C-alpha cells in the first residue's frame, strides 16, 4: 500500500543515490582527468615523432629518386602525395588511441564517398590532371610554357593539385593541373632550338642588297646564332612607309631572348653605320595649286 511515508522514503533513497553518484564521480574525476591528460600528451608526442619520421621518409625518398635521375616534377608530385597520405594515416592512428574505431570510420567514409566526390570533384580533376602531366610529360620543371588561359612563365614546381610558374617579371602564377591537362598549351622549351624572326623596316630609297649584306653580316658574327642552321634576310612586306625585311636565324632555346635582344640592338647600330635609315610612319599630303 502506497502511503505518504513510503513516497517520502523512496525520495530520500533516490536523493542519497544521486549524492552517492556525484560523490563517486567527483572522487574519480582527478584520476580520469589525469589519464586523459596523459593520453593527450602521448598523442602529441606520437604526432611530433610521426611528423619527424614523415619528414625523414620524404628526404630519403627525394634522395633516392634523385640518384635514380627521376624528373623533378615527379619527385615534387610524389613527395607531396606521400606526405599528405602519411599524415592522414598518422591522424587515424592517434584517433584510434582515443577509442575511435578505424573500421567504423572507413565505413562512414565509404558511405559518404559519393557526396564527398561531388564536393571535391574540382580537386579530383586537378589530381588526375597532375598524374597525366607526369605520365605524358607535356612539360617539366624548368620549361617555359604558355597556358591556354594566357598565363606564361617558367615551371618551378608541379604539385598534386597545382603547377607553379614564375613570370619574366618574377611573379608567381598558380594554375590548376586540371586546366593545364584539358586545354591547349605551348611549350617554348620543348625543342632544343628556336627560330628568331626580327622585322626591320628600311627606307624605300635605301639599297636593299646592301641592307641584306649588312644584316647577314650581323648574323655571321653573333656567336649564339646557330651557324649550321638556315640564316636569311628577305623582303617580307612593302609597307606604307618602309620596305620590311625579315631577319631570320636560329638559336638554342635557352639563348633565345638574349640573342634576339642583342641582334635587334646590333641591327640598329649596323644600319646607322651603313647610312641606311629606318623610317617612321609618315603621311604625304599633296595640295593642288
Amino acid at each position: 500500500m502506497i502511503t505518504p511515508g513510503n513516497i517520502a522514503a523512496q525520495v530520500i533513497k533516490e536523493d542519497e543515490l544521486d549524492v552517492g553518484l556525484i560523490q563517486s564521480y567527483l572522487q574519480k574525476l582527478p584520476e580520469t582527468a589525469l589519464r586523459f591528460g596523459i593520453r593527450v600528451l602521448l598523442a602529441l608526442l606520437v604526432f611530433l615523432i610521426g611528423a619527424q619520421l614523415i619528414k625523414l621518409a620524404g628526404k630519403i625518398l627525394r634522395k633516392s629518386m634523385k640518384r635514380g635521375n627521376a624528373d623533378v616534377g615527379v619527385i615534387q608530385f610524389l613527395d607531396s602525395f606521400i606526405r599528405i597520405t602519411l599524415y592522414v594515416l598518422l591522424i587515424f592512428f592517434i584517433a584510434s588511441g582515443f577509442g575511435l574505431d578505424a573500421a567504423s570510420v572507413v565505413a562512414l567514409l565509404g558511405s559518404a564517398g559519393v557526396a564527398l566526390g561531388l564536393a571535391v570533384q574540382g580537386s579530383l580533376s586537378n589530381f588526375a590532371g597532375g598524374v597525366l602531366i607526369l605520365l605524358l610529360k607535356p612539360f617539366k620543371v624548368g620549361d617555359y610554357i604558355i597556358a591556354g588561359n594566357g598565363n606564361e612563365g617558367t615551371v618551378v614546381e608541379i604539385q598534386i593539385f597545382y603547377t607553379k610558374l614564375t613570370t619574366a617579371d618574377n611573379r608567381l602564377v598558380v594554375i590548376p593541373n586540371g586546366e593545364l591537362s584539358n586545354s591547349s598549351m605551348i611549350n617554348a622549351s620543348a625543342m632544343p632550338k628556336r627560330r628568331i624572326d626580327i622585322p626591320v623596316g628600311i627606307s624605300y630609297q635605301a639599297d636593299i642588297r646592301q641592307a641584306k649584306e649588312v644584316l647577314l653580316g650581323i648574323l655571321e658574327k653573333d656567336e649564339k646564332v646557330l651557324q649550321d642552321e638556315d640564316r636569311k634576310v628577305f623582303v617580307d612586306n612593302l609597307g606604307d612607309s618602309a620596305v620590311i625585311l625579315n631577319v631570320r636565324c636560329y638559336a638554342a632555346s635557352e639563348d633565345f631572348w638574349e640573342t634576339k635582344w642583342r641582334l635587334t640592338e646590333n641591327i640598329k647600330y649596323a644600319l646607322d653605320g651603313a647610312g641606311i635609315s629606318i623610317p617612321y610612319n609618315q603621311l604625304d599630303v599633296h595640295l593642288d595649286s
Side-chain angles (χ1 to χ4, degrees):
M1 180 176 179
I2 300 175
T3 62
N6 292 336
I7 295 175
Q10 184 177 359
V11 170
I12 292 173
K13 289 181 180 180
E14 291 179 352
D15 291 341
E16 292 177 351
L17 180 62
D18 292 340
V19 172
L21 290 174
I22 294 173
Q23 289 177 347
S24 176
Y25 175 77
L26 292 176
Q27 290 175 355
K28 294 180 179 180
L29 182 60
E31 182 180 357
T32 302
L34 178 62
R35 290 179 180 178
F36 181 77
I38 292 174
R39 293 172 70 179
V40 171
L41 291 176
L42 288 176
L44 291 174
L45 181 62
V46 170
F47 180 81
L48 293 176
I49 295 175
Q52 293 301 319
L53 291 176
I54 291 173
K55 290 181 180 179
L56 179 61
K59 290 181 180 179
I60 295 174
L61 175 66
R62 289 192 295 271
K63 289 182 179 179
S64 61
M65 294 186 71
K66 287 180 180 178
R67 284 197 297 267
N69 294 324
D71 185 77
V72 178
V74 176
I75 296 175
Q76 293 173 346
F77 183 89
L78 290 180
D79 178 60
S80 57
F81 175 75
I82 292 175
R83 185 172 64 251
I84 291 174
T85 303
L86 291 178
Y87 270 112
V88 171
L89 293 177
L90 177 62
I91 292 174
F92 269 109
F93 176 76
I94 295 174
S96 64
F98 287 87
L100 182 65
D101 187 3
S104 301
V105 173
V106 172
L108 178 62
L109 291 177
S111 63
V114 176
L116 183 63
L118 293 174
V120 298
Q121 58 181 344
S123 297
L124 293 177
S125 174
N126 292 332
F127 176 78
V131 174
L132 288 176
I133 289 173
L134 293 177
L135 291 177
L136 302 179
K137 295 184 177 180
F139 59 85
K140 62 182 184 299
V141 174
D143 285 352
Y144 190 94
I145 66 172
I146 303 173
N149 57 11
N151 289 314
E152 60 180 281
T154 302
V155 179
V156 293
E157 193 171 352
I158 303 175
Q159 294 186 345
I160 294 181
F161 302 113
Y162 299 95
T163 293
K164 295 181 179 180
L165 314 177
T166 54
T167 62
D169 55 351
N170 203 32
R171 291 180 297 168
L172 182 66
V173 179
V174 181
I175 304 178
N177 288 333
E179 183 176 332
L180 283 175
S181 62
N182 293 320
S183 62
S184 60
M185 184 268 302
I186 298 175
N187 188 343
S189 304
M191 306 302 291
K193 57 190 176 185
R194 288 183 64 182
R195 193 180 78 187
I196 299 175
D197 287 281
I198 303 176
V200 179
I202 63 172
S203 170
Y204 271 96
Q205 286 74 36
D207 188 338
I208 295 179
R209 294 184 181 87
Q210 180 189 7
K212 292 173 67 175
E213 290 178 0
V214 171
L215 298 177
L216 284 172
I218 295 174
L219 298 182
E220 293 174 357
K221 294 177 182 178
D222 195 292
E223 57 185 23
K224 293 297 184 179
V225 173
L226 299 179
Q227 301 299 324
D228 56 342
E229 294 294 335
D230 188 25
R231 293 169 286 113
K232 62 176 61 177
V233 179
F234 55 91
V235 177
D236 188 51
N237 186 25
L238 299 177
D240 295 333
S241 303
V243 177
I244 308 300
L245 304 179
N246 190 17
V247 180
R248 176 172 294 177
C249 63
Y250 286 82
S253 295
E254 61 270 18
D255 299 327
F256 175 81
W257 288 110
E258 292 292 338
T259 304
K260 184 175 182 178
W261 296 333
R262 184 175 58 256
L263 288 175
T264 303
E265 182 177 349
N266 291 337
I267 285 172
K268 177 63 169 65
Y269 295 149
L271 292 179
D272 288 345
I276 301 173
S277 62
I278 301 176
Y280 50 86
N281 291 331
Q282 59 186 3
L283 178 63
D284 293 334
V285 180
H286 298 278
L287 298 177
D288 294 335
S289 57

